[in-house]
Amino acid sequence: MRSTFTGIETAMRAINAMQLALDTTTHNIANANTPGYSRQRVELSASDPYTKPAMYRIPQPIQIGTGVNIDGITRARDFFADRQVRTASGELGNHETAVRYYNRIESLINEPSPNEFAGQLDRFWNAWSDLSLDPSDLSARTVVLEEGARIADSMNRTMTQLSELRTDAATEIDFVVSDVNDMAQEIADLNRDIRKLVGIGQTPNDLMDRRDMMIDDLSRMTGASATYQADGTVDIMLDGRALVSGFTTDPLQTQAAGGGNVNIVWSSDLAAVALPQSELGALQTMNNTTIPDIQSDFNSFFNGLTAGVNTIHQAGYGLTDPAGPPPGRDFFVLTAGTYGVNPALVSDPALVGAAQNPGQPGDNSNALVIANLATAKSTNGGTTTFNEHYGLLVAGIGSDARRATDAAANQGAFVSYLAAQRESVSGVSLDEEVANLVKYQHAYEAAARALTAADEALDTIINRMGLVGR
Amino acid sequence: MRVTHNMIVSNVLSNIQGNLSRLEHAQNQISTGQRYSKASENPTAVARIMDLRSSESRVEQYRRNADNAVAWLNATDAAIQSAGDAVQRARELAVSGGNDVLPQEEREAIAAEIDQLLAQVIDAANSKFNGSYLFSGRLTDTPAYAAGAPPTFQGDLNGIEREINDGVKIQINSAGPDVFASSMQVLTDLANDLRSNDGPAIRGRIADIDAAQDELLAQGSIVGARTNRIETQQDRLEASQVSLAHLRSQDEEIDMVEAIVRFNSEETVYNASLQAGARIMQPSLLDFLR
């Protein structure tokens, strides 16, 4: 025989459940715009009916339902989508970081602009050609020196900005590594909290969301992947080793390798980490390979250019040079890593070697030879002119930059697609929540009305029965 | 697929962003008139633009060199003309001075005029262009001839060249002795003959004067040939400057009409995406409940 108060009990559980569902819906609405939040659902099931069959229980002809059970609150999460997004976003981080640096390299080169290095080089050759028109003219000599100084300034600026860029990359590596370690530590701490709560049978949805978001960031930054354990903890794997294992972390650290290169190593045994495609990986490639390669290309081009001019200039005579072997003056000098025009020439432009013979003020033959460098295939193993060589350097950087930009755009589209897939599962839909709100509110009201009905029924029994003839 | 408001918002935002960035690019092209602002937009075209620009600047320089060479040659021609005039006048004087009826004093007077003509030839030989002596070889700061009987050459015999196209160098100076040696010699001799009152010798000088005139003419025609050659190159340079500029503008500059049409269409797309976004982002179920 069931209890008189069954109806009250059932209605009360329904009210509880609906209240919880309403609260959860409100929680979803409140977090509709919270990054990394996954929508939560109250899992309900019908509670065990009365009576339940058992060995010594007298079977009843009917079974009556006892109401609703709250099984728990779960979050909507697609772990497969998570893994896809994370793998893809590591690659995206890689390309985007490369694009960021290529943009800076391109803006420091700033071609095609008529006033940048290629144009200056043209004007330098033209200045020599102008000097050949009147080699005894001191103002034409001064122009040659000024154009030379402008080229030297540009070469210095390019080299300085490239090395600044490399320093920036190294600094950024330090920042990212320290961020990664902080996040790894936080994930380990969350692992501990989550493990405790899971241990007492709870589902800490919001903590898990926070941890998942951090794993997203970590995989974009390092390309790390996550392995979910049965006890609720997550291991973070990077290059086959655990960055986070349970409650402990093995932090990364940077290690200066020779020539400005930076290695990223495990703190525990200083073994090198081979980073997959990721922000950190891209930064390391920039710092250790891309920028040094560009630096060395420019450096050898600039050295070839200055050496080419110097070799010819050394054979030249200034206006005031006496007979005898040529004075062998350099036009460009490199002092302490800085290009400049030979100060001896600047203080006495008459010494500019426009002539190939001493004592002939009208001899323009050496100026002509230098002006001819504009068209002489004298660099790149005699296959290109200096201008063409520079154009090739610029075009090479341009096509690398373009490849990175295209890759970033493609990968970006792919990541948005995957993220939309994931959002489709985990995202909060306000329409849905409002509909649920209406649904649960009605259910709540109905349950309350059922309670009232039970109450009135009891009232009938308790207060009005057995009063006949009173 | 289940669609949430956040998906719509982020889709709308990223589409609007993309449209706006294309609109900005179109606007940038119009306002700069340039097709590319970075090498990565089209590495090959940018390398080509740099190449063409450098060729253009070189052609401009060659034209400047050619103009300078023509001016030098014109000055040379004028000097030779002036020497030619002097020698022509000397021939007339030699003819009249050769007449034996002339008294000694007359011949002395003629000799004095010949001295003046010699001075005119020396002046011509010492002509300057832009501060440089034309006929002194590479000793451009030294007068070609010092007065004397005959005058002495003080320059050298080295050539001065101008580069007027890739690999095309042309000598612009004429060596003083090639041009003036005979003229000066014959004028000096004639003056001497007149002063020594030697009729047959004076008449004999006429042939020498003719030879000297021929030499001046020959040198003048060398100058003319050089001028012609440079002028041919100038035409060629002008033509290639035009075609280089045309080629470069094809690569470098936008077609305004096309760019404006594209700008308008990007603008339409951008506006449409804003409107569509505004309409899809606004409503939710809440707007329709009670």
Side-chain angles (χ1 to χ4, degrees), chain A residues 32-33 39 106 122 126 129-130 132-133 357 359-362 364 372 375 402 423-424 427 431-432 434, chain B residues 2 4 6-7 39-41 53-54 57-58 61 65 138-141 158 161-163 166 169 285 289:
Chain A
N33 292 325
R39 72 193 156 105
E106 281 207 288
D122 289 337
N126 286 348
S129 202
D130 276 335
S132 83
L133 299 181
N357 301 287
Q360 299 183 356
N364 64 2
N372 270 341
T375 50
R402 190 191 173 94
E423 169 75 14
S424 160
D431 292 343
E432 190 178 303
V434 170
Chain B
R2 186 173 165 274
T4 71
N6 270 336
M7 285 162 78
S40 56
E41 290 171 24
R53 197 180 273 156
S54 138
S57 123
R58 207 159 56 236
Q61 179 67 38
N65 294 358
R138 288 178 180 169
L139 303 183
T140 46
D141 56 348
N158 291 311
E161 293 182 319
R162 294 279 177 267
E163 184 167 32
D166 287 347
K169 281 187 198 145
L285 186 56
L289 284 174

Side-chain angles (χ1 to χ4, degrees), chain A residues 18-87:
Chain A
M18 291 313 125
Q19 206 157 35
L20 191 65
L22 276 171
D23 288 350
T24 304
T25 304
T26 311
H27 184 53
N28 283 340
I29 292 173
N31 286 296
N33 292 325
T34 307
Y37 179 80
S38 358
R39 72 193 156 105
Q40 296 180 7
R41 283 287 165 267
V42 178
E43 300 293 332
L44 301 173
S45 63
S47 51
D48 290 341
Y50 184 82
T51 63
K52 232 179 163 182
M55 179 125 38
Y56 298 110
R57 186 169 284 158
I58 304 153
Q60 300 280 331
I62 53 158
Q63 271 197 326
I64 183 158
T66 58
V68 66
N69 249 355
I70 300 162
D71 292 338
I73 299 174
T74 57
R75 58 184 187 138
R77 193 86 194 177
D78 179 346
F79 290 99
F80 182 64
D82 274 347
R83 203 165 65 229
Q84 280 186 316
V85 168
R86 283 167 192 166
T87 315

Side-chain angles (χ1 to χ4, degrees), chain B residues 2-290:
Chain B
R2 186 173 165 274
V3 177
T4 71
H5 279 81
N6 270 336
M7 285 162 78
I8 291 173
V9 170
S10 70
N11 261 338
V12 165
L13 275 183
S14 97
N15 289 338
I16 288 178
Q17 204 105 77
N19 292 338
L20 187 60
S21 118
R22 274 194 297 278
L23 184 64
E24 191 261 356
H25 190 242
Q27 191 274 337
N28 195 34
Q29 283 191 330
I30 290 174
S31 62
T32 60
Q34 307 282 302
R35 208 179 278 270
Y36 310 114
S37 57
K38 283 189 298 186
S40 56
E41 290 171 24
N42 190 339
T44 351
V46 166
R48 204 162 47 226
I49 289 168
M50 287 166 69
D51 214 33
L52 288 169
R53 197 180 273 156
S54 138
S55 303
E56 258 185 281
S57 123
R58 207 159 56 236
V59 166
E60 218 166 285
Q61 179 67 38
Y62 287 146
R63 290 188 69 180
R64 206 151 58 229
N65 294 358
D67 289 347
N68 172 287
V70 167
W72 175 293
L73 288 169
N74 286 344
T76 307
D77 195 48
I80 294 176
Q81 287 277 345
S82 148
D85 291 349
V87 173
Q88 176 60 34
R89 172 74 185 138
R91 190 182 191 281
E92 288 159 13
L93 291 174
V95 170
S96 61
N99 192 338
D100 280 339
V101 301
L102 283 180
Q104 168 73 16
E105 309 84 69
E106 283 288 322
R107 283 191 167 150
E108 291 279 353
I110 293 173
E113 191 176 348
I114 298 287
D115 285 346
Q116 288 309 308
L117 291 173
L118 180 58
Q120 184 182 337
V121 173
I122 294 176
D123 281 350
N126 288 345
S127 306
K128 283 165 117 181
F129 170 70
N130 214 4
S132 298
Y133 288 99
L134 291 170
F135 297 100
S136 302
R138 288 178 180 169
L139 303 183
T140 46
D141 56 348
T142 315
Y145 281 92
T152 45
F153 180 60
Q154 319 180 101
D156 65 21
L157 301 177
N158 291 311
I160 293 177
E161 293 182 319
R162 294 279 177 267
E163 184 167 32
I164 54 170
N165 208 336
D166 287 347
V168 180
K169 281 187 198 145
I170 195 158
Q171 184 179 338
I172 52 161
N173 66 328
S174 310
D178 289 352
V179 185
F180 301 108
S182 321
S183 311
M184 288 174 176
Q185 186 64 51
V186 78
L187 291 182
T188 314
D189 292 346
L190 181 60
N192 285 341
D193 291 344
L194 283 164
R195 288 204 171 90
S196 49
N197 204 9
D198 184 348
I202 295 168
R203 289 188 291 279
R205 289 293 164 207
I206 291 176
D208 293 344
I209 289 176
D210 287 345
Q213 264 184 322
D214 286 348
E215 211 168 290
L216 285 173
L217 278 176
Q219 289 296 325
S221 62
I222 291 177
V223 170
R226 285 174 181 162
T227 311
N228 281 341
R229 197 172 147 213
I230 294 173
E231 280 168 352
T232 314
Q233 287 289 346
Q234 279 180 317
D235 292 346
R236 209 169 288 168
L237 288 170
E238 199 176 333
S240 71
Q241 193 174 26
V242 170
S243 76
L244 284 171
H246 179 67
L247 279 175
R248 181 168 61 84
S249 78
Q250 273 183 344
D251 267 333
E252 187 178 30
E253 288 157 19
I254 47 151
D255 175 355
M256 232 358 130
V257 176
E258 188 196 316
I260 288 170
V261 169
R262 203 170 51 243
F263 177 81
N264 282 337
S265 104
E266 296 293 0
E267 194 181 20
T268 314
V269 170
Y270 175 63
N271 284 336
S273 68
L274 283 181
Q275 273 178 12
R279 279 173 62 180
I280 196 171
M281 276 160 60
Q282 285 281 354
S284 79
L285 186 56
L286 278 173
D287 299 326
F288 302 98
L289 284 174
R290 257 180 282 176

